[in-house]
Amino acid sequence: MTAATHSTLFPQVPDSADAVLEGLDPEQREVATALHGPVCVLAGAGTGKTRAITHRIAYGVRAGILHPSSVLAVTFTNRAAGEMRGRLRQLGAGGVQARTFHSAALRQLQYFWPKAIGGSLPRLVDRKLQLVADAAAACRIRLDRGELRDVTAEIEWSKVTQTVPADYAPAAAKAGRESPRDPAEIAQLYAAYEDVKRERSVIDFEDVLLLTVAVLQDRHDIAEQIRAQYQHFVVDEYQDVSPLQQRLLELWLGERDSLCVVGDASQTIYSFTGATPDHLLDFRTRHPGATVVKLVRDYRSTPQVVHLANGLLAQARGRAADHRLELVSQRAAGPEPVYAEYTDEPAEAEGAARRIREFIDSGVPASEIAVLFRTNAQSETYEQALADAGVPYQLRGAERFFDRPEVRKAGIALRGAARFGGNDSLLDDVVDLPSQVRAVLSGEGWTTQPPAGSGAVRERWESLAALVNLAQDFAAATPGATLADLVAELDERANAQHAPTVQGVTLASLHSAKGLEWDVVFLVGVAEGMMPITYAKTDEQIEEERRLLYVGVTRAREHLHVSWALSRSPGGRPSRRPSRFLDGLRPGSTATTGRTSAGGAGGIERGIPGTRGSAPKRAQRVPARCRVCGRTLTDPGEMKLMRCDGCPSDMNEGLYERLREWRADQARSSGQPAFCVFTDRTLMAIAESAPDDERELARIPGVGMRKLTRYGADVLAICAGQSLAESADQD
């Protein structure tokens, strides 16, 4: 290891307090040196908030103002706490406690329980589902696994908002929550759940906070002992604090004001868990003399990405919007965001996969690329498209589509129905494949209308609906297909996704992408009904959806692609429209709010002819150009050929005919239509380019990874003028 490499991996500890401040910008330095009294840091995305607060703690320790053991830094994830501890050690401030709320509270509760209550702390359960199931059984209420998860989420929300069972119904109504079951039933289950815990002498994670609060409120001697230990508090992601966490923080502080909070109201996206930005926004009201510092210098994203992010918030409404931060990029100019409209969702996924393939081929590591979507149910289409394009991927924050319990169970049901065939009474009088699938999956919880709310039941329904949609698409592409054919297709798709994908493109929901960043980000499905999601009804819910899109935009360092589809499936009615959040921001659109628009920068990429709206300036990013005349191509058929229909073809007619004969043989032997092997356009594209190897063949639109694996050797042999027998002999 060279000296330079060693210094990069193991930075030298600053030799003085003043050295800790080196490299900070003026606002970060102001945060680092504000060590007395309450401090509120309003930090936008990518502005270096973690750097600012860790240097603040380190400066205080190195200057002798703060003792390491007297500082408690609190954040929301173990990953963030670990990162903070690592940075503090590198700055010479080892010994500072950096923990999550739950970790800090549990440590205190374990230490003081014998003194406050007597005996040992009850056992902490890490999963509530079985307890909730037992509570439901005691109430004679039957819950399936999805409903168990949803009821559990309601119990957790109630506890972090300090709502007792008797008050659940009015509290949920006031908060605008859509209960997964009758509110009276939820309250009954909540009360029974608490009874089960008491009978078994166990506690859950919310109890850790509740019991710590109770001990500190009832035992002033213990509260004073903790306050003597911790003199200074730092709270990161303060916009995500729940009422219960805020109460615990107040008890830790007592009458003191040695507190520094850091947050951004525009990144509040977890209100469904009880988080609220009110504590951040009310900080100056509770602490009139507080020092307030705004961090707006964005070191993460290019000016083009920041411009779009600012534009999204400029159209926002509500209290959080009134306190938005106008970011100022500190990076060099980069490419404009690209907006792409597609005919349908599979075309959108294929378009994203194609562009991702181009990025990887140009040298961008796959790990620096992300595809972000609103719901986990959207992942399957992109998993398949990336697999077909030979692009490795990893799914973050959710199970792979075919690994989800409801999908596995549905697969078993479909396989059983296919095996019994006409002997299954469920399928009596059901002729076409999509209807058969709907009949089978109705027994697994699929309904024609989605359930209300946004919990596990909705997620499970979305997964089953994806299978129903897949069956419709498969039947349309393969006339005469049977249920057994569909099961084989599902098995093939599942197997294609089990390849190693450790260093791959990240597939993630917008919620699970919080706190992460990539060089290239694809925001997909940005259409009405998905962004904002259909069940976002109130103004507050709509604005949280806007903030969720803002979080997605600010994950991108340099390249940002925003796309939507006009219909769900090929041939569907093009009834969708781009998200209202893009009005006035994407080229050719106008703002739908009275606020000033942030402008219309960005390039348009058209996945279909006749994209609505026209760009105010020449598109900077396009899918393809005609290799003969150079005209921009927008028609999918022309894009396959890489030339206009009217431009002369250099196709090898003999090769084309040999390919057609081979395709006919393949179709007959497999019992499927010829176009399911390769379409005419794809054969024409192959005959025009006459690829020499698999890499060249894979670049031709319509030749996915599965078809390359299945047919590639034959096609390349035909292109080389060999007979298939000769090719087999050479192998």
Side-chain angles (χ1 to χ4, degrees):
M1 181 184 297
T2 65
T5 303
H6 186 279
S7 64
T8 300
L9 295 177
F10 306 99
Q12 185 175 0
V13 175
D15 58 10
S16 67
D18 288 341
V20 172
L21 302 178
E22 293 177 1
L24 300 181
D25 67 32
E27 293 78 25
Q28 292 171 343
R29 181 180 287 256
E30 185 179 356
V31 172
T33 55
L35 295 173
H36 300 287
V39 177
C40 179
V41 182
L42 302 176
T47 57
K49 66 180 179 63
T50 304
R51 176 180 174 83
I53 58 176
T54 52
H55 280 69
R56 178 181 186 273
I57 295 170
Y59 177 71
V61 169
R62 300 295 297 277
I65 300 172
L66 303 176
H67 191 278
S69 63
S70 72
V71 180
L72 178 59
V74 187
T75 187
F76 281 80
T77 67
N78 289 320
R79 181 182 63 82
E83 179 185 353
M84 191 176 291
R85 287 193 296 270
R87 292 198 189 194
L88 288 169
R89 282 195 299 271
Q90 292 172 0
L91 293 170
V96 172
Q97 292 293 314
R99 296 181 174 274
T100 64
F101 270 102
H102 282 90
S103 173
L106 180 59
R107 201 162 179 236
Q108 294 171 12
L109 198 60
Q110 288 171 329
Y111 183 81
F112 288 108
W113 187 267
K115 179 178 179 180
I117 309 298
S120 58
L121 182 70
R123 180 174 63 87
L124 176 64
V125 293
D126 57 356
R127 291 180 61 83
K128 301 182 180 70
L129 285 183
Q130 187 56 54
L131 294 176
V132 176
D134 293 343
C139 296
R140 299 184 182 279
I141 297 174
R142 184 170 182 173
L143 302 176
D144 62 30
R145 188 169 183 82
E147 290 173 319
L148 279 174
R149 287 174 54 195
D150 287 345
V151 170
T152 299
E154 290 304 295
I155 291 174
E156 291 174 348
W157 172 82
S158 299
K159 298 182 78 164
V160 301
T161 56
Q162 298 177 284
T163 301
V164 298
D167 294 338
Y168 170 78
K174 183 179 180 181
R177 295 182 73 82
E178 286 197 52
S179 299
R181 297 182 70 95
D182 181 85
E185 274 192 339
I186 300 289
Q188 182 185 4
L189 290 165
Y190 179 11
Y193 168 78
E194 293 298 315
D195 290 340
V196 169
K197 285 198 291 109
R198 278 192 292 271
E199 291 169 3
R200 300 180 185 180
S201 297
V202 297
I203 60 175
D204 60 28
F205 276 100
E206 288 71 43
D207 289 330
V208 170
L209 301 184
L210 285 164
L211 290 170
T212 305
V213 165
V215 167
L216 297 183
Q217 287 179 156
D218 294 343
R219 293 291 300 266
H220 297 291
D221 57 329
I222 293 177
E224 288 305 319
Q225 192 171 341
I226 290 176
R227 291 166 191 159
Q229 168 70 45
Y230 295 116
Q231 306 288 326
H232 191 84
F233 296 86
V234 177
V235 183
D236 193 11
E237 303 288 2
Y238 194 53
Q239 78 278 353
D240 291 332
V241 164
S242 69
L244 179 56
Q245 290 165 331
Q246 175 63 23
R247 180 57 185 146
L248 177 59
L249 179 62
E250 291 168 354
L251 288 167
W252 281 340
L253 273 167
E255 299 300 318
R256 299 166 301 173
D257 62 2
S258 187
L259 170 67
C260 174
V261 300
V262 188
D264 178 11
S266 296
Q267 295 189 68
T268 305
I269 59 173
Y270 300 112
S271 65
F272 59 90
T273 66
T276 170
D278 289 345
H279 306 300
L280 175 66
L281 299 178
D282 292 338
F283 190 84
R284 281 169 288 185
T285 302
R286 297 195 310 274
H287 304 279
T291 299
V292 178
V293 183
K294 295 182 179 180
L295 300 183
V296 296
R297 300 176 194 252
D298 189 313
Y299 297 95
R300 174 188 299 158
S301 304
T302 63
Q304 287 73 16
V305 173
V306 167
H307 181 68
L308 176 57
N310 286 336
L312 283 171
L313 295 187
Q315 299 181 7
R317 300 288 190 183
R319 194 169 181 224
D322 293 338
H323 294 79
R324 68 185 183 277
L325 299 169
E326 187 85 8
L327 300 178
V328 181
S329 176
Q330 305 300 296
R331 293 192 53 181
E336 295 285 355
V338 175
Y339 300 88
E341 184 173 273
Y342 295 90
T343 51
D344 51 68
E345 290 180 4
E348 182 181 9
E350 290 169 9
R354 183 173 63 251
R355 299 309 299 268
I356 289 170
R357 180 80 266 173
E358 292 172 1
F359 275 116
I360 294 174
D361 290 345
S362 70
V364 178
S367 59
E368 285 297 341
I369 304 174
V371 179
L372 307 182
F373 35 74
R374 176 61 180 83
T375 69
N376 289 328
Q378 293 170 269
S379 72
E380 191 273 336
T381 305
Y382 290 89
E383 293 175 50
Q384 188 62 50
L386 291 175
D388 285 347
V391 175
Y393 65 87
Q394 53 185 335
L395 201 58
R396 179 183 177 84
E399 296 168 295
R400 293 179 184 276
F401 181 81
F402 287 102
D403 289 342
R404 296 173 191 167
E406 65 270 20
V407 175
R408 290 202 305 268
K409 190 176 178 185
I412 293 171
L414 291 169
R415 187 171 290 106
R419 185 181 304 117
F420 287 109
N423 296 322
D424 192 337
S425 60
L426 183 67
L427 302 182
D428 287 348
D429 302 323
V430 180
V431 179
D432 63 289
L433 175 60
S435 296
Q436 290 177 337
V437 171
R438 287 192 289 268
V440 174
L441 296 188
S442 63
E444 302 300 321
W446 178 82
T447 56
T448 55
Q449 295 297 320
S454 58
V457 171
R458 176 69 181 231
E459 290 179 5
R460 185 183 64 183
W461 183 90
E462 295 279 5
S463 294
L464 296 177
L467 289 176
V468 171
N469 295 335
L470 191 151
Q472 293 172 341
D473 297 343
F474 184 70
T478 316
T482 65
L483 198 54
D485 294 331
L486 176 65
V487 169
E489 171 72 8
L490 293 176
D491 288 342
E492 185 176 344
R493 285 173 176 249
N495 290 334
Q497 294 165 20
H498 289 163
T501 56
V502 177
Q503 290 300 319
V505 171
T506 299
L507 294 178
S509 70
L510 287 165
H511 281 102
S512 64
K514 179 76 165 61
L516 303 174
E517 59 187 72
W518 297 269
D519 286 343
V520 183
V521 169
F522 286 77
L523 294 177
V524 299
V526 189
E528 285 293 306
M530 194 59 72
M531 180 58 67
I533 198 76
T534 50
Y535 48 76
K537 304 295 186 184
T538 67
D539 290 344
E540 291 81 4
Q541 290 168 340
I542 295 294
E543 287 306 316
E544 181 147 339
E545 292 288 299
R546 187 194 304 275
R547 294 194 295 270
L548 190 56
L549 183 58
Y550 171 80
V551 167
V553 168
T554 54
R555 299 310 94 195
R557 298 191 190 105
E558 185 172 1
H559 297 276
L560 178 64
H561 289 241
V562 183
S563 64
W564 58 91
L566 297 180
S567 66
R568 185 195 61 77
S569 57
R573 187 165 62 90
S575 58
R576 295 178 177 175
R577 64 173 296 269
S579 169
R580 72 191 75 172
F581 300 146
L582 299 179
D583 290 345
L585 300 176
R586 61 185 178 86
S589 67
T590 56
T592 56
T593 173
R595 291 179 181 267
T596 303
S597 164
I604 286 189
E605 182 180 86
R606 292 179 173 85
I608 60 168
T611 302
R612 64 183 68 183
S614 58
K617 60 181 182 179
R618 184 177 180 85
Q620 298 183 13
R621 305 279 299 195
V622 292
R625 292 183 182 276
C626 175
R627 52 191 168 84
V628 179
C629 70
R631 182 179 72 84
T632 297
L633 302 177
T634 57
D635 178 77
E638 292 182 337
M639 290 167 63
K640 277 193 176 183
L641 296 176
M642 293 302 291
R643 64 170 176 82
C644 307
D645 276 335
C647 286
S649 169
D650 54 359
M651 183 177 68
N652 183 326
E653 296 287 349
L655 174 57
Y656 179 63
E657 287 305 318
R658 290 196 299 275
L659 288 169
R660 281 175 57 86
E661 291 173 5
W662 165 83
R663 182 182 66 173
D665 290 339
Q666 290 292 327
R668 278 193 297 270
S669 63
S670 62
Q672 61 180 331
F675 69 83
C676 290
V677 180
F678 284 121
T679 64
D680 287 345
R681 288 276 188 174
T682 300
L683 288 189
M684 291 175 66
I686 294 172
E688 290 189 358
S689 60
D692 292 325
D693 53 38
E694 285 191 352
R695 187 178 182 84
E696 292 181 10
L697 179 59
R699 289 181 178 276
I700 297 174
V703 182
M705 182 54 61
R706 286 185 301 156
K707 291 185 179 181
L708 182 66
T709 302
R710 184 178 299 175
Y711 305 126
D714 283 1
V715 171
L716 290 172
I718 295 170
C719 291
Q722 301 173 352
S723 69
L724 298 185
E726 289 175 349
S727 175
D729 290 341
Q730 290 179 4
D731 291 342

